[in-house]
Amino acid sequence: MKNSTLEKGFDERQILERGRAFRNAYLTLAGTLLLMFLMNDGFELYIFDGLALFDISIMLSLAVFGCTAVLHDAFDSYDRVSNGVPIIFGIYGVISVIMSIVHIVKGDPLIEESGVIGSELIFLFTGLCFASVGIAYLIKRARDKKSSEE
């Protein structure tokens, strides 16, 4: 098998798991966009604007990829060298959630007057997606460390 830049440091099982994670993320993206389209145009609810359509679908699919890859040992290479991305996701997610909560407490609306989902709710969702990857990574690393000590 040709070893590309993306596959360096990953064994065959990890490459397969990463493929499954990418598949799950793609299906999540497609399903989310379809559901949002049906809600907006099929049922004429019009609760998603362009920012929501883009941000919610992309961030949810990134979270699905990240969590799936982390939980199946396909994010770090087999030599356990971390690239730090899940930790960065987690830190960004926690900061985003805190900032969103502060803005919501200050009175920024979750739903705009027009009935469209507000930007603070979108950013809160984005933060939760990113934080979930970081949390899954920390839990996985703690479990791996505990099992290696036993």
Side-chain angles (χ1 to χ4, degrees):
M1 176 188 302
K2 184 178 176 184
N3 200 10
S4 72
T5 306
L6 292 176
E7 296 170 350
K8 286 184 179 174
F10 295 99
D11 61 22
E12 291 176 4
R13 185 201 58 79
Q14 288 175 310
I15 294 168
L16 289 172
E17 290 296 340
R18 287 173 70 86
R20 288 185 188 105
F22 278 116
R23 180 200 61 205
N24 293 344
Y26 173 77
L27 292 174
T28 300
L29 176 67
T32 305
L33 286 173
L34 178 64
L35 179 67
M36 295 168 95
F37 170 77
L38 286 175
M39 289 176 74
N40 265 9
D41 294 332
F43 300 115
E44 297 181 355
L45 295 175
Y46 302 111
I47 59 174
F48 301 109
D49 62 358
L51 175 64
L53 283 168
F54 174 78
D55 199 38
I56 291 172
S57 59
I58 294 294
M59 295 308 142
L60 185 59
S61 65
L62 282 173
V64 166
F65 169 76
C67 289
T68 305
V70 163
L71 294 175
H72 291 101
D73 290 325
F75 211 99
D76 290 338
S77 60
Y78 62 84
D79 56 6
R80 308 305 288 164
V81 174
S82 175
N83 57 14
V85 172
I87 298 299
I88 294 169
F89 274 27
I91 291 169
Y92 171 78
V94 169
I95 291 169
S96 181
V97 167
I98 291 170
M99 289 175 54
S100 295
I101 290 172
V102 167
H103 284 262
I104 291 168
V105 168
K106 285 184 176 180
D108 288 354
L110 295 177
I111 306 291
E112 303 290 333
E113 291 178 15
S114 61
V116 174
I117 292 176
S119 61
E120 287 309 319
L121 189 57
I122 294 169
F123 293 132
L124 178 64
F125 180 80
T126 299
L128 291 172
C129 286
F130 277 108
S132 68
V133 175
I135 291 167
Y137 185 76
L138 291 174
I139 291 170
K140 181 68 174 155
R141 292 291 290 229
R143 284 184 185 166
D144 290 349
K145 185 176 180 181
K146 185 178 178 181
S147 66
S148 69
E149 290 174 354
E150 293 176 351

